[in-house]
Amino acid sequence: MPTTATEQSVRTETRMKAVAATEYGGPEVLRLTTASKPTPVPDEVLIRVRASTVGPANSAMREGRPFLVRFFSGLRRPTAIPGDAFAGEIAAVGRDVTHFAVGDRVFGTTAPESGTHAEYVCVPEDSTLELTPTGVSDAEAAAVADNGLTAMLFLQDVANLQPGQSILINGASGGIGTFAVQLATNVGAKVTGVCSTRNVDLVRSLGADAVVMAAETTSTTGNETFNSSQTVWVDFENERTRIERDTGSSELITVRNESGSVTYNVEDNSVNRYDFSFNRTQNGISNLLRLVDENETTFEGQERLDGDETYRLSFEPDTSEMTIPGSVDITVWFDTETSLPKQIHMVAESSEFSINVTQEYQRMSVDEQLSDDRFTIDIPADAEGPDSVEVNAEDSDSVEVDATSYESLPALRNNTTQDVPSPELPEPYSFDRGHLVEDGDETSVILRYTNGANETLSVSQHSTTDFNYSESERFDAVEFGDRTGWYSEFNSNDTTVSMLAWDCGDSRYTLSGSLTESEATDTAKAITCE
């Protein structure tokens, strides 16, 4: 049979550029190389790849971990061009292809095969291949082919999600999670998305418009126990929130919107007004949402709680930046029918404190209709209080902690007059991120460093020296240079963590992480006290 013009044009170019690895390892093993350009058989199309993706599966294939993947990618070294998602345009078609033409913009996946981290790839016409909608970029289409199809597979084929059912999506702001929220909402399911506080805006934009939460909290510190109840209404669409809190000794009602915040104390008949407004991460649901912010989550199984079937999940928060090293264990129970939380239990312990907190949710719902009256307070005319105070006013007892994160040291230094340490850390530690924390008239700078092996070091500078380490039995006095500090070692999550604290004038510095005593004192010695 004679060769068609399109097939002939493909064969005139026999080589193409590709990204491949000749050994297993990290991203550094990837090389830009050349490979044989594929030629479509009669039922295939040749795609000129404009965009692809890199995800966990690609990384596993590149690293050869777990070892099982090497049975697919090569026992000694990777043998195939990586990548399975693609978006681009059709460069040539086989003679039996009828649904696509040269020049069509398309997207899809080669899974379970690979090869999309190259200039060209061939796929069968009847494979996972679709025309790219108008207005959708190649990068956006490739992301759909990767994470979107993965989310659809689990929702449709594994979970068999149906309209009216409830689903909890953990990691709702991630690559797969963002698609899962939208797809589940489109099916007509009741979606609860769990994410970090910094991603509340994103998850809200994908689904829920309002959240209502009622909870009772019991906190035990030492021999003292405190009980409180709280109900929160959050209207994301109109950016307003109402919080009613009863501690037994006081009843507070707070409303926030775009113009500011008002808190009314019922017992004292007093009111405070603050010039800071609605904040999505300070509306009462942050304690639940921030559990998964960079924390490891483990599914513990199903358990009956207060007569209801629940899913039990445990969380391991990052404790490397605690001023006093210790352990934090958190367990959350979610209702199996509604996917809403039933209870949170947290235990935080160190040599200096022990805190046990249980929060029970009597009611939590999403997308409930909230009237304007819910976000107003009927304040008596004789209520005492100032007309307005600034959020950072020194005379305010209700000022909230202001914490800001920075990705670089120069950016942090440019935004504070506080002394920012410049430690000389042992290799291979490098700067990861910094935090500036302002709580009334107290300011702290926290710097976090990593060594690429899941080990972290934290260097902190605080504008207060209230805690007396010399009175603690867990800390030993150490001398380094002309300074005196306090050193101790703790076991946290089966890892030994050291901590060194010392004072410089009116400031206190702390250094914590996986360091020996000599490494800690040598590092502290090099930090200039300003």
Side-chain angles (χ1 to χ4, degrees), residues 295-314:
N295 296 331
E296 182 178 345
T297 306
T298 302
F299 176 68
E300 303 286 357
Q302 287 189 227
E303 185 174 309
R304 199 163 187 83
L305 184 67
D306 296 333
D308 297 322
E309 287 294 329
T310 64
Y311 296 121
R312 176 174 173 168
L313 282 75
S314 63

Side-chain angles (χ1 to χ4, degrees), residues 195 197 200 280-291:
C195 68
T197 54
V200 173
R280 299 179 190 274
T281 66
Q282 296 174 345
N283 50 42
I285 61 173
S286 59
N287 287 338
L288 174 63
L289 296 176
R290 64 171 170 240
L291 287 180

Side-chain angles (χ1 to χ4, degrees), residues 17-20 49 52-54 58 81-85 114-119:
K17 294 179 180 179
V19 174
V49 179
S52 185
T53 61
V54 177
N58 304 130
I81 296 172
D84 52 32
S114 61
T116 63
H117 292 176
E119 286 186 287

Side-chain angles (χ1 to χ4, degrees), residues 56-86:
N58 304 130
S59 299
M61 290 293 184
R62 185 197 67 235
E63 296 175 354
R65 295 186 301 177
F67 191 84
L68 179 64
V69 305
R70 300 194 182 201
F71 289 97
F72 302 93
S73 59
L75 287 176
R76 294 187 176 181
R77 64 184 64 87
T79 58
I81 296 172
D84 52 32
F86 65 85

